[in-house]
Amino acid sequence: MGLLVSMRPIPGSRTGLRFRIKEVHTPMVVHISVYRGHMSQGFREQVALASVVTERWYMSPGVRRVDITEGGVTGTLFLPPGPGPFPGVLDMWGGGGGLVEYRAALLASHGFAAMALMYLFPDAQKAATIGFHYIENAFRLLQDHPLVASDKIALLGTSFGASVALSLAVSETVKPICCVCISGSHVLTLKANQSIAESFKVMKEHVHKSRMDENNCIIWRDTLLPIPEDSDLKVDVKDSPFQKLGSRPACFELYFPHSQNGGLDINQYFLFFSQVGRITCPLLLVVGQDDTNWAAVESADDMTQMMERAGNSHLLTTLSYPGAGHLIEPPYGPHCRACTFVLQPGQQRVVVLWGGLAKPHAVAQEDSWKKILDFLQEHLCHSVKPHVYSRL
């Protein structure tokens, strides 16, 4: 798989390309050719010394793909072969939006009924109506499916999807058996009475903290820093309803809701942070130490301290990978350090720096994928004899 991991866009390609799988029910066809000498371009004009064509599948034989449109929920359910019932996984990607299916297809190839959920939509009017209850309905749909074991459902989220997963995990209504959060943070939350668009307001208010690298790629990680329980936290109620931390150019400003008496109710804002200590299900955090997009490392450290104080640190497992960036995906794809990103809603295009170095990032993806599967197998399947594992 090293050939695939080390692939790069050919010279002259459009800036910001990222390798993504869109059609999971058909294989990715890979042409491998060997040429004389070292070449960086002009392959089509040369005669190859040897060539081979191979296929890479994301659905093992017998996996079924089902479009989900019930209850206003948009998603795709992948069911393993056999009569079931199967343990379920609600799979949520990040802020790029759309319906991303290949991880759910791979999970189904390993014996899990996995629903890839679309919850960020390009249409601003529709996006304003999507919130906590939409995600909750998706969880219920998966739970109520006749081929899914209703008492064995996990949440899996990447980036903002991890924030959504954590928000559900601490709620009173959704009770997952376990939760996997990849490159995420507990700072950005989705409250029960909030739309997803509203939950992004904190990020928008602090977008001034973003910075650019030497290639004009956006670095967003500072928008969540410092983590709000920092010992230097100060609130200036005289000048504005924002907190200000020191005088550094990258100061962190947060809006605090007003209490009934007209003051600033800081406790309302930090309610979610205290709830993290109330997590009662096993939680797996996957973190890239070179994540330049999200404050995942600092968030994981803070969550560890909070869960230790709450006495439930035994539920937490953290996988932290030196040299890995933000986009920790299923393994054996080309490393993407930066690419074009479409902001939802509105469809504005920017180039984002995700971070990571090719070799350690590839190692992180391979190691974390195996451990994610083991984690889900351990907590969802218990002593049930597992299906024969796919090699996908």
Side-chain angles (χ1 to χ4, degrees), residues 360-376:
H361 191 89
V363 170
Q365 292 194 147
E366 185 171 8
D367 185 74
S368 64
W369 179 241
K370 180 181 183 301
K371 289 177 178 175
I372 289 169
L373 293 174
D374 289 344
F375 179 84
L376 294 173

Side-chain angles (χ1 to χ4, degrees), residues 150-277:
S150 61
D151 59 342
K152 297 178 181 179
I153 309 291
L155 298 171
L156 192 160
T158 293
S159 192
F160 180 68
S163 297
V164 175
L166 286 169
S167 298
L168 265 68
V170 301
S171 73
E172 297 296 328
T173 57
V174 175
K175 298 297 181 184
I177 295 299
C178 60
C179 186
V180 179
C181 295
I182 304 170
S183 303
S185 174
H186 61 319
V187 175
L188 199 60
T189 69
L190 180 62
K191 299 180 178 65
N193 59 348
Q194 232 181 6
S195 71
I196 291 174
E198 289 173 329
S199 72
F200 275 129
K201 285 183 178 179
V202 171
M203 285 284 292
K204 291 179 179 178
E205 289 166 357
H206 312 135
V207 72
H208 65 279
K209 295 182 60 183
S210 303
R211 49 194 172 90
M212 311 288 279
D213 72 353
E214 63 278 8
N215 298 313
N216 291 324
C217 299
I218 294 179
I219 299 173
W220 272 330
R221 70 182 311 276
D222 292 340
T223 58
L224 298 182
L225 290 176
I227 301 299
E229 286 191 336
D230 190 273
S231 59
D232 294 327
L233 184 66
K234 295 179 182 180
V235 179
D236 186 348
V237 297
K238 300 178 191 174
D239 298 330
S240 69
F242 292 91
Q243 69 152 359
K244 297 179 181 179
L245 299 178
S247 58
R248 293 171 292 175
C251 65
F252 188 12
E253 298 180 342
L254 289 176
Y255 174 75
F256 294 116
H258 283 73
S259 62
Q260 292 180 351
N261 61 9
L264 295 175
D265 190 348
I266 299 176
N267 292 327
Q268 288 183 29
Y269 188 85
F270 288 120
L271 177 62
F272 179 74
F273 300 117
S274 63
Q275 288 177 335
V276 169

Side-chain angles (χ1 to χ4, degrees), residues 87 112 149 151-153 176-178 282 373-387 389:
F112 303 99
D151 59 342
K152 297 178 181 179
I153 309 291
I177 295 299
C178 60
L373 293 174
D374 289 344
F375 179 84
L376 294 173
Q377 183 74 29
E378 175 187 356
H379 296 291
L380 294 181
C381 301
H382 303 293
S383 59
V384 178
K385 185 177 180 180
H387 289 261
Y389 267 0

Side-chain angles (χ1 to χ4, degrees), residues 15-37:
T15 301
L17 290 179
R18 177 183 175 188
F19 179 80
R20 297 302 293 269
I21 299 298
K22 294 184 178 180
E23 302 293 338
V24 297
H25 54 282
T26 58
M28 180 181 72
V29 179
V30 182
H31 297 260
I32 302 174
S33 300
V34 179
Y35 297 89
R36 187 181 304 279

